[in-house]
Amino acid sequence: AIDEVEDRYLLCGYADGSLALLDVEERPSPAHHKFECVIQKERSQGHNFAVTGVSWYPNDTGLFVSGGFDKAVKAWDTNRAEVAFTFPMPDKVHCVQMPAVAHRHNLIAVGSADRRVYLCDLASGGSQHALSGHSEAVNCVA
Protein backbone atom coordinates (compact mmCIF):
# COMPACT_ATOMS: atom_id res chain seq x y z
CA ALA A 1 0.00 0.00 0.00
CA ILE A 2 1.40 3.40 -1.00
CA ASP A 3 0.41 6.28 1.25
CA GLU A 4 -2.05 8.77 -0.24
CA VAL A 5 -0.74 11.79 1.68
CA GLU A 6 2.82 12.02 0.35
CA ASP A 7 2.50 9.35 -2.37
CA ARG A 8 5.95 8.21 -1.32
CA TYR A 9 5.97 5.36 1.21
CA LEU A 10 5.21 1.74 0.38
CA LEU A 11 4.13 -0.67 3.14
CA CYS A 12 5.07 -4.32 2.67
CA GLY A 13 4.01 -7.32 4.74
CA TYR A 14 5.75 -10.67 4.36
CA ALA A 15 4.90 -14.35 4.78
CA ASP A 16 7.41 -14.67 7.64
CA GLY A 17 5.57 -12.03 9.73
CA SER A 18 7.97 -9.18 9.07
CA LEU A 19 7.09 -5.70 7.78
CA ALA A 20 8.94 -3.05 5.80
CA LEU A 21 8.38 0.58 4.89
CA LEU A 22 10.11 1.64 1.67
CA ASP A 23 10.75 5.15 0.36
CA VAL A 24 9.85 4.94 -3.33
CA GLU A 25 10.32 8.64 -4.07
CA GLU A 26 14.08 8.35 -4.38
CA ARG A 27 15.01 6.26 -7.40
CA PRO A 28 17.58 3.61 -6.56
CA SER A 29 20.97 3.95 -8.15
CA PRO A 30 21.80 1.47 -10.93
CA ALA A 31 24.39 -0.14 -8.64
CA HIS A 32 21.89 -0.91 -5.86
CA HIS A 33 18.64 -1.75 -7.71
CA LYS A 34 16.49 -1.37 -4.62
CA PHE A 35 14.60 1.34 -2.77
CA GLU A 36 15.65 2.64 0.61
CA CYS A 37 14.11 0.74 3.52
CA VAL A 38 12.97 3.34 6.07
CA ILE A 39 11.62 0.86 8.64
CA GLN A 40 12.26 -2.89 8.85
CA LYS A 41 10.48 -4.97 11.49
CA GLU A 42 11.54 -8.58 11.78
CA ARG A 43 9.08 -11.30 12.76
CA SER A 44 9.88 -10.90 16.47
CA GLN A 45 8.80 -7.24 16.25
CA GLY A 46 5.99 -7.68 13.71
CA HIS A 47 3.58 -10.61 13.50
CA ASN A 48 4.16 -14.21 14.59
CA PHE A 49 2.81 -15.56 11.29
CA ALA A 50 2.17 -14.23 7.78
CA VAL A 51 1.15 -10.58 7.36
CA THR A 52 -2.01 -10.64 5.26
CA GLY A 53 -2.86 -6.94 5.03
CA VAL A 54 -1.50 -3.44 5.54
CA SER A 55 -3.26 -0.09 5.30
CA TRP A 56 -2.29 3.54 5.86
CA TYR A 57 -4.24 5.94 8.02
CA PRO A 58 -5.57 8.16 5.22
CA ASN A 59 -4.81 11.58 6.73
CA ASP A 60 -1.11 11.32 7.54
CA THR A 61 1.79 8.90 7.32
CA GLY A 62 2.22 8.72 11.11
CA LEU A 63 -0.03 5.66 11.48
CA PHE A 64 -0.66 2.41 9.66
CA VAL A 65 -2.29 -0.90 10.50
CA SER A 66 -1.34 -4.48 9.76
CA GLY A 67 -3.10 -7.80 10.18
CA GLY A 68 -1.92 -11.37 10.11
CA PHE A 69 -2.48 -15.05 10.63
CA ASP A 70 -1.43 -14.59 14.27
CA LYS A 71 -5.00 -13.37 14.95
CA ALA A 72 -3.90 -9.79 15.55
CA VAL A 73 -4.44 -6.34 14.05
CA LYS A 74 -1.68 -3.92 14.99
CA ALA A 75 -1.78 -0.13 14.81
CA TRP A 76 1.72 1.21 14.26
CA ASP A 77 3.22 4.59 15.18
CA THR A 78 5.35 5.23 12.09
CA ASN A 79 7.38 8.00 13.72
CA ARG A 80 8.47 5.77 16.62
CA ALA A 81 8.54 2.60 14.49
CA GLU A 82 6.63 0.59 17.07
CA VAL A 83 3.23 -0.89 17.79
CA ALA A 84 0.89 1.64 19.42
CA PHE A 85 -1.99 -0.79 19.96
CA THR A 86 -2.88 -4.42 19.27
CA PHE A 87 -6.41 -5.67 18.62
CA PRO A 88 -6.64 -9.40 19.43
CA MET A 89 -8.97 -11.10 16.97
CA PRO A 90 -10.89 -14.39 17.35
CA ASP A 91 -9.41 -15.97 14.19
CA LYS A 92 -6.83 -15.41 11.45
CA VAL A 93 -6.92 -11.96 9.85
CA HIS A 94 -7.20 -12.10 6.06
CA CYS A 95 -7.30 -8.36 5.31
CA VAL A 96 -7.38 -4.89 6.87
CA GLN A 97 -8.49 -1.53 5.52
CA MET A 98 -8.60 2.03 6.82
CA PRO A 99 -11.33 3.73 4.77
CA ALA A 100 -10.56 6.99 2.99
CA VAL A 101 -13.29 8.65 5.09
CA ALA A 102 -11.41 7.82 8.30
CA HIS A 103 -11.09 11.54 9.05
CA ARG A 104 -14.71 11.27 10.26
CA HIS A 105 -14.08 8.11 12.30
CA ASN A 106 -11.23 5.83 13.34
CA LEU A 107 -12.59 2.45 12.27
CA ILE A 108 -10.51 -0.34 10.79
CA ALA A 109 -12.35 -2.93 8.67
CA VAL A 110 -10.97 -6.44 9.25
CA GLY A 111 -11.81 -9.53 7.18
CA SER A 112 -11.46 -12.75 9.14
CA ALA A 113 -11.20 -16.50 8.62
CA ASP A 114 -14.29 -16.90 10.84
CA ARG A 115 -16.52 -15.48 8.04
CA ARG A 116 -17.03 -12.09 9.71
CA VAL A 117 -16.00 -8.52 9.11
CA TYR A 118 -14.96 -6.70 12.28
CA LEU A 119 -14.90 -2.95 12.78
CA CYS A 120 -12.13 -2.05 15.21
CA ASP A 121 -12.14 1.44 16.72
CA LEU A 122 -8.77 3.14 17.19
CA ALA A 123 -10.32 5.75 19.47
CA SER A 124 -11.71 3.27 22.01
CA GLY A 125 -9.35 0.35 21.42
CA GLY A 126 -12.24 -2.08 20.99
CA SER A 127 -13.77 -4.24 18.31
CA GLN A 128 -17.15 -2.53 18.13
CA HIS A 129 -19.05 -4.53 15.55
CA ALA A 130 -18.93 -8.02 14.06
CA LEU A 131 -20.74 -8.26 10.74
CA SER A 132 -21.92 -11.79 9.98
CA GLY A 133 -23.51 -13.32 6.91
CA HIS A 134 -20.61 -14.57 4.79
CA SER A 135 -20.45 -18.29 4.03
CA GLU A 136 -16.65 -18.42 3.72
CA ALA A 137 -13.62 -16.54 5.06
CA VAL A 138 -13.56 -12.83 4.19
CA ASN A 139 -10.50 -12.23 2.01
CA CYS A 140 -10.95 -8.60 0.98
CA VAL A 141 -12.54 -5.43 2.39
CA ALA A 142 -12.61 -1.96 0.84
Side-chain angles (χ1 to χ4, degrees), residues 68-73 87-93 110-120 127 129-130:
F69 279 176
D70 58 356
K71 302 179 184 178
V73 172
F87 295 92
M89 302 304 293
D91 208 336
K92 292 177 182 176
V93 173
V110 180
S112 177
D114 71 358
R115 304 183 314 252
R116 292 186 180 107
V117 173
Y118 293 90
L119 299 178
C120 299
S127 176
H129 302 285

Side-chain angles (χ1 to χ4, degrees), residues 1-9 11 54-65 75-76 78 96-109 120 122 142:
I2 293 181
D3 77 281
E4 294 183 18
V5 176
E6 297 182 44
D7 198 28
R8 169 180 187 163
Y9 297 109
L11 287 172
V54 292
S55 183
W56 284 104
Y57 184 69
N59 299 319
D60 69 53
T61 56
L63 176 76
F64 69 90
V65 295
W76 295 81
T78 311
V96 295
Q97 184 65 42
M98 292 281 301
V101 294
H103 60 278
R104 293 194 307 236
H105 63 75
N106 291 313
L107 297 177
I108 305 164
C120 299
L122 281 169

Side-chain angles (χ1 to χ4, degrees), residues 24-44:
V24 296
E25 184 173 87
E26 298 297 322
R27 298 265 182 223
S29 68
H32 291 102
H33 299 292
K34 63 181 185 178
F35 291 103
E36 177 188 354
C37 185
V38 179
I39 296 173
Q40 176 73 40
K41 290 295 180 180
E42 300 301 325
R43 179 180 180 179
S44 63

